[in-house]
Amino acid sequence: MGKMNVTGDMMLSLLAEMVLDEAVRSYKEQALTQEIDVALATGDEASFLALTTELNSLRSLGH
């Protein structure tokens, strides 16, 4: 019975880590999107290109 508790605890820990990772990724994606909007609004092409590259990289890691 002890092994089942350890396995269950490991599964819950893994699930919690996955949920946290997704929350952090989602937060970063939202922040980058807002920064991209600001770069567009101000005409800051260099920031726009850097931020969109970072956003695309983040999205490719998440899928």
Side-chain angles (χ1 to χ4, degrees), residues 2 4-5 7 9-10 14-15 20-23 25 27 34-37 39-40 45-46 50 53-54 56 61-63:
M4 287 186 71
N5 286 340
T7 302
D9 289 347
M10 288 173 50
L14 180 59
L15 179 60
L20 181 59
D21 286 347
E22 177 59 22
R25 189 202 60 77
Y27 175 81
Q34 288 176 347
E35 290 181 55
I36 288 168
D37 288 345
L40 281 171
E45 184 178 355
T53 298
E54 188 175 346
N56 287 334
L61 293 174
H63 295 114

Side-chain angles (χ1 to χ4, degrees), residues 10-62:
M10 288 173 50
M11 293 300 290
L12 286 174
S13 177
L14 180 59
L15 179 60
E17 185 176 343
M18 290 170 61
V19 168
L20 181 59
D21 286 347
E22 177 59 22
V24 169
R25 189 202 60 77
S26 179
Y27 175 81
K28 286 181 181 178
E29 187 172 329
Q30 282 184 324
L32 284 168
T33 300
Q34 288 176 347
E35 290 181 55
I36 288 168
D37 288 345
V38 170
L40 281 171
T42 60
D44 186 349
E45 184 178 355
S47 290
F48 172 79
L49 292 173
L51 292 165
T52 55
T53 298
E54 188 175 346
L55 179 60
N56 287 334
S57 176
L58 179 65
R59 286 180 172 168
S60 70
L61 293 174

